[in-house]
Structures are given as structure tokens and as C-alpha cells.
Amino acid sequence: MIHRSEAIPLLLASILISAAAMTTIPLDRGLENDGITLPVSSATGVPADVLLMQQTLGAFRGWAIDALWLRALERRDQGLLHESMELAHWITKLQPYFPRVWNFQAWMLAFEMALDSRDPEQRWAWVREAIDLLRGPGLRANPYSQEIHRQLSYLFWFKIGEFQDEAAPYYQRRLCQRWHTILGHPPGRDASRYFEVLDRAARSPDQVRELSAGLVTDSDLISRLEIAASDPEMALSTGVAEKFPTLEPEGVQAVEDFLRRRLIEDELNMSPDLMARLGEELGPIDWRTPAAHAVYWGAQGALRAGSEDLSTGLNSANIEDVLTTIDVRIGLQQLVAHGRVLLGDDEQLVTTLPQPGILPAYERALLLLTDGQGIAAELLPRVLEIVSAAVVTSWLQGEDELARQLLQRRDVLARSESRPQTEDLIDVVKSLVLDTLDEEDGDREKRSLLVGIHGRALVAGGGGGTEVESLRGLLLAKELEVMLFGSQSLNFRHDALARALRTPSAAAPLSVKRRIWETLSAAQRDMIDITTRSLLLIEARREGEDPAVVFPGIVSGDAAGVSESSGD
């Protein structure tokens, strides 16, 4: 029972809290009018419980946010990542219009939590959660935020697109797999024709019952389609033709377009129309690559920075603003180097290849920085490095004609004398590879270069690449070795073998290392160092395999002691 002495303070506190809450209404309205925040409505994607919490705290909300933010930073610095994440989550509940906290959470997920695990699948789960957090609730609450758009683009071109994280090849495979499920093969296997797929999706109705008359008319079918629309990714994964066998081919395509629009707009918070326009303006963008998404988020951020309309599209009036955005430029750079996907018979990503069709857009972006006065001197070396690497990659993959086209463009950019068409490509490739060495580099750096090329060729031969890449990589390493050292070195090949067998599992799974092992003679196996053997034993056991079966002869001599200790 509450006594009068207790009731009066409680009543007074309730009145004060209500009064404080009421003061936030004109404050929030003023912020809206000044363009500092967004109107509180269902359009922002902010849940009702969050709105209630905001209003209840009233004028004390700012103090609470400051205290939680400082505490979250302190907990991060102390290594208490989960507690720091929980505090950041509370801040987004109290103040969803604070882009820095959304970025903080995403960074913690992708760069802190992910690195706590050695399992590529677990790492990918954290990275994908970071992306979903930003493009979902983060951007719905802050659709004009440049910070969030830049962070999203950065996650795609750096975290997934670069190889700073040893699990990056696995991230790229999973991203490719997901978008291949969503979009399928481009018509004619030509990525430039993804424009057609996305343009149809953009023009598709957004409700099942609005599908074209005559295509979907059966009431039972409509009900089943509405169920499928609740999980469009699953429906696309299963296959519309298989899931709805009574549909005519035209109806299958109409349903696929509808499901793609529903998935891209509602779940991924992206615009199929903007995706289509980017492909139309910039060239053959393959949306199964991380660089494509880096370009998308950079472009959308640039478009929204100069407009108050969320639906502003790409056109001749704003394309230059988009191209001069640094994230778009980096994305285009990556597309030139790794903008084509090569899939295996199982429809899984094998490797990425250069995409010369993006080169004109990339050069245009660079020229805009100097008002058409040529590529800036400080950027030209990097541009030449990218195109040179694309020449080498194309040659390694057996695409000689493409390599010559890229080489011709490189020479134009470098203002070099034209090369004779009869010049042997392997000689050009050797020259470009040697150009990556600095003048002061000694035998150690030269040896490291050769070990990397030879090791990568071994991984490709084991199934982590293509057969032609393996054969040409081994040939390139052999000829460079003679050029640099005058003869072949047995120790060099041992180091390359160790490099291949120690390659992180994301780039060379256990199956690849097993195939490499099978190609070795008993004498070669005996010469493998104890550290490499130890790592193979650990990896095999982590995968639930018997090392003696996967790698016959691995447990011998000093390796026996390794086996016993690794099993403790």
C-alpha cells in the first residue's frame, strides 16, 4: 500500500516526466523544419516502442545518449565488444537519427566481432549483419546520411572486395552466390544485359494482384504467389518454373521480375531502377561482384546529397557528380580489375576476371577531376598498375586477345611507343611483373615474388582456380626465376609449396590442399617442413577429417610428435 508521503513525490515525478516529454514535441518539430532530422512517422522505419521511449525520456534523452555513447567507446577500448555493441544498440533505440552510432555498430560487427572467429562462415555472418544493419534500419532512419552510404560502400570495396581479410575470397563467393540466386545468369551470359533484368524488375508491379492480366489469373495460384512473396529470396532460389509449373514462360518471367523487385526494394532497401541506370551509364556491371555494390551505395549517396527527393534517379545532369564521388571511383577501379565472375560447373565462383568494359567510365571519372586535362599525375601510376595487373591476369587465364586490348590501352595511358603485334605476350607479362619490384629490392623481395606466383599456380591447379591459370603461372614463375637468378632453385619451389599448403582455407579449402598433396611424390612429402604439416593436421581435424586419410604419409618422423600434441 502506498502512503500519502510516497504518493505525492511519485505524482510529482510523473507530472515532471510528462512535462519533459511534452517539451520534445516542439523541439523535434523545429529540428524537422531545419532539416536536421527526419519527421517521426512510419516512413522512417522507427518502431513504435522506440518512439515511446524517446518521448518518455523527454529532455533527459540527450544526457542518456551522451552517457551511453561514452560508455560504449570505453567498453570497446577495454575489449568488451559485446557490451559495447549492446550499448550502441540502446543508443540507436533512443536516437535512431545518429548515423555515427549505426556506423560504429557496423564497424564492430565487420571488423571486430568477425575477426574473433577463424571460421569463414562465421565471419561472413558478422559481415553480412553489418551490411544488413546499415542498409536496413540504419538507412531507413537516415536515408540522406552520407556517413552511412560511405560506410556501406567501404564495406563492399574494402572488407569484401580487397584481400586484407584472409576470409575475403569466401565473402566474395557468398555474395556472388546470393546475387546469382536473385538475378540469375545475365541474358547471353553478358553482364551488360543485367540492365534488361533490372529494368523489367523496376517496371514490375509491386503487388501480386497487379501482375499483367492473363499471366496470373487463377485465384489459388495468386494465393500461393502471395505466400512466395513473403520470402522472395527462397522462391527465387527454388525456381519459379519449378515452384509454379502451370505458369507459361511469359508468366514465369513476370513472377520472377515481381519477386526480384519485392526482394531488392523491401529486404535489401535498394532501387532496381538505379541499378539498371548505373549499368546503362557505366557499362557491364556484374552485380555478383562486391565492387558493383560499392558503386551503387556511393552513387545513391551522391544523388541524395544533392536532392531532397529519395527517388531522384541517375541522369545526364547528375552523372558527373556521381562519377567524382571517391567511393564510386574506387568501385569502378575494382570493376576494371575484378569485374567479371567465372563460375564453375556447380555455379559457384571460381575466380574474378578483369572487365575492360568499365575502363571508359573509370577514365571518365578520372578526367572529371582535372576538367578534362588528363589523368592527374599523382593518380596515373596507380591507374597503370591496375591496368597492368589486368593484362597479367587476362594472360594467366588464357585470354590473350583481351590481354592485348588492355595492353594497348595501358600504353596509350602511359604514352609509350606502340608495340609490334608480333611481340610475344609472355615477354610483355614478364616485364610488367618485374615492374612491380622497386630498384632497391634485393634477392629476398625477388624470391618472395616468385614464391607468390608459383604458390598461387599450385592452388589453382588444386581446384582453387583454373587449369590454364595453373599451367601459365608455373611457366611464368619458371621463366622469371631464370631471368632473376640465372637458374632454377629447388628451395624456391619448396617455399612455394609451403605457401600453397598454408593458404587460408577461405582461398584454398581442404579439398584444394588435398589435391596438391596427391600430386607430390613420397620424397617431396617428406621434405615438407614441420610447421606446414602441423597446420594441415589442425585444419583436417577442424573439418572433422582424419589427417592420415586426407594427407597420406603426413604423420611420419617429427610430424608424429606434431600429431600427438595437436590432438591434446
Side-chain angles (χ1 to χ4, degrees):
M1 181 176 180
I2 299 177
H3 296 285
R4 181 178 299 177
S5 58
E6 298 173 337
I8 293 176
L10 287 173
L11 179 61
L12 182 59
S14 300
I15 294 172
L16 290 174
I17 290 174
S18 299
M22 293 298 292
T23 63
T24 65
I25 296 176
L27 288 174
D28 287 342
R29 188 174 293 118
L31 291 173
E32 282 179 32
N33 294 335
D34 292 337
I36 298 174
T37 188
L38 296 173
V40 176
S41 69
S42 58
T44 66
V46 181
D49 62 325
V50 177
L51 301 180
L52 178 62
M53 186 185 301
Q54 292 173 344
Q55 297 300 324
T56 302
L57 279 175
F60 300 108
R61 186 176 66 187
W63 295 350
I65 292 169
D66 288 343
L68 288 172
W69 178 236
L70 293 174
R71 188 76 166 175
L73 295 176
E74 179 185 10
R75 287 293 183 258
R76 180 201 61 186
D77 294 341
Q78 293 171 347
L80 303 174
L81 303 182
H82 290 278
E83 185 174 342
S84 180
M85 280 289 300
E86 186 62 28
L87 291 167
H89 176 69
W90 272 100
I91 297 173
T92 59
K93 287 284 189 180
L94 290 169
Q95 176 52 292
Y97 313 120
F98 190 4
R100 186 173 300 176
V101 181
W102 292 103
N103 281 352
F104 175 83
Q105 275 192 285
W107 178 275
M108 293 284 287
L109 289 166
F111 291 91
E112 301 284 355
M113 309 293 282
L115 296 182
D116 272 355
S117 172
R118 295 188 60 85
D119 180 8
E121 174 59 31
Q122 291 181 8
R123 286 193 179 190
W124 170 243
W126 290 116
V127 173
R128 179 171 167 175
E129 185 176 344
I131 292 170
D132 290 343
L133 179 76
L134 290 181
R135 71 182 170 196
L139 266 187
R140 284 193 170 95
N142 304 273
Y144 294 102
S145 171
Q146 294 302 294
E147 287 184 69
I148 293 180
H149 280 97
R150 284 195 298 268
Q151 185 77 344
L152 267 169
S153 184
Y154 180 76
L155 284 173
F156 279 103
W157 70 254
F158 181 81
K159 186 66 179 179
I160 303 178
E162 295 285 352
F163 293 89
Q164 304 296 325
D165 187 331
E166 65 180 26
Y170 184 82
Y171 304 157
Q172 292 168 18
R173 287 198 296 272
R174 292 301 303 272
L175 181 74
C176 176
Q177 181 183 33
R178 187 180 195 195
W179 279 92
H180 187 71
T181 296
I182 296 171
L183 299 179
H185 282 294
R189 303 297 175 100
D190 178 2
S192 65
R193 298 186 65 187
Y194 268 136
F195 162 76
E196 302 171 21
V197 177
L198 290 162
D199 187 58
R200 288 199 313 267
R203 292 184 285 105
S204 174
D206 60 359
Q207 298 295 326
V208 172
R209 296 182 184 277
E210 294 177 11
L211 288 172
S212 302
L215 295 179
V216 180
T217 55
D218 181 79
S219 58
D220 178 62
L221 180 58
I222 290 175
S223 298
R224 290 167 56 209
L225 284 171
E226 287 177 339
I227 294 173
S230 64
D231 190 352
E233 190 164 359
M234 177 61 72
L236 289 168
S237 176
T238 304
V240 172
E242 290 75 13
K243 197 173 183 65
F244 304 100
T246 59
L247 281 176
E248 296 295 327
E250 190 178 359
V252 170
Q253 184 173 93
V255 172
E256 287 177 343
D257 294 338
F258 161 74
L259 292 173
R260 286 176 181 135
R261 177 179 178 181
R262 175 68 66 88
L263 174 59
I264 292 171
E265 289 185 347
D266 293 356
E267 294 190 23
L268 303 178
N269 199 20
M270 298 172 70
S271 164
D273 182 69
L274 178 55
M275 294 170 73
R277 300 285 84 74
L278 285 169
E280 187 178 34
E281 287 283 348
L282 304 181
I285 294 180
D286 193 326
W287 295 96
R288 296 169 293 184
T289 63
H293 296 268
V295 169
Y296 176 89
W297 294 111
Q300 181 171 285
L303 292 173
R304 291 185 177 181
S307 172
E308 295 183 359
D309 183 2
L310 294 180
S311 62
T312 299
L314 188 67
N315 53 55
S316 58
N318 55 35
I319 182 63
E320 293 188 355
D321 292 333
V322 168
L323 286 173
T324 53
T325 302
I326 186 170
D327 292 307
V328 172
R329 197 165 68 246
I330 293 174
L332 291 173
Q333 174 179 294
Q334 273 196 359
L335 283 172
V336 170
H338 303 287
R340 282 187 301 141
V341 302
L342 177 63
L343 304 182
D345 295 337
D346 59 356
E347 301 284 89
Q348 297 299 308
L349 179 67
V350 175
T351 189
T352 52
L353 306 171
Q355 177 51 275
I358 296 294
L359 196 52
Y362 178 48
E363 290 185 34
R364 181 184 176 190
L366 295 171
L367 290 172
L368 285 171
L369 299 177
T370 61
D371 295 325
Q373 300 302 308
I375 298 175
E378 63 272 18
L379 297 178
L380 185 58
R382 177 58 178 156
V383 175
L384 294 176
E385 180 184 336
I386 292 165
V387 181
S388 296
V391 172
V392 175
T393 300
S394 298
W395 178 81
L396 284 170
Q397 296 293 345
E399 299 183 319
D400 291 2
E401 184 59 34
L402 176 58
R404 289 194 181 278
Q405 292 175 12
L406 289 166
L407 181 62
Q408 185 178 25
R409 189 57 197 162
R410 180 205 175 279
D411 290 344
V412 170
L413 292 171
R415 299 180 181 178
S416 303
E417 295 182 5
S418 59
R419 302 171 188 266
Q421 288 295 317
T422 56
E423 185 174 11
D424 197 336
L425 261 179
I426 190 172
D427 292 330
V428 177
V429 168
K430 287 187 290 187
S431 175
L432 294 176
V433 171
L434 291 177
D435 285 344
T436 63
L437 293 170
D438 294 328
E439 290 184 5
E440 62 272 15
D441 285 344
D443 288 351
R444 179 180 178 181
E445 289 76 19
K446 295 173 183 177
R447 185 186 182 88
S448 178
L449 175 67
L450 296 178
V451 167
I453 295 172
H454 194 108
R456 173 58 199 162
L458 291 175
V459 170
T466 63
E467 184 177 356
V468 66
E469 178 187 6
S470 176
L471 294 173
R472 289 196 170 189
L474 292 174
L475 175 63
L476 178 61
K478 178 181 177 181
E479 296 206 6
L480 285 174
E481 183 181 9
V482 174
M483 288 180 65
L484 292 172
F485 297 104
S487 63
Q488 295 185 40
S489 166
L490 183 63
N491 290 335
F492 149 67
R493 288 193 292 279
H494 287 161
D495 290 348
L497 177 58
R499 171 77 67 88
L501 293 173
R502 294 184 187 187
T503 302
S505 61
L510 193 64
S511 59
V512 169
K513 292 165 186 168
R514 181 176 192 167
R515 293 191 194 103
I516 295 174
W517 185 270
E518 290 171 350
T519 66
L520 304 179
S521 66
Q524 288 175 314
R525 293 174 182 177
D526 289 341
M527 294 181 69
I528 293 174
D529 64 278
I530 191 170
T531 301
T532 302
R533 288 171 177 267
S534 176
L535 292 172
L536 292 175
L537 288 167
I538 293 170
E539 185 172 346
R541 287 200 173 93
R542 187 184 296 126
E543 296 287 331
E545 300 285 349
D546 182 354
V549 174
V550 178
F551 304 111
I554 193 171
V555 183
S556 61
D558 291 337
V562 175
S563 174
E564 293 173 5
S565 62
S566 63
D568 291 341

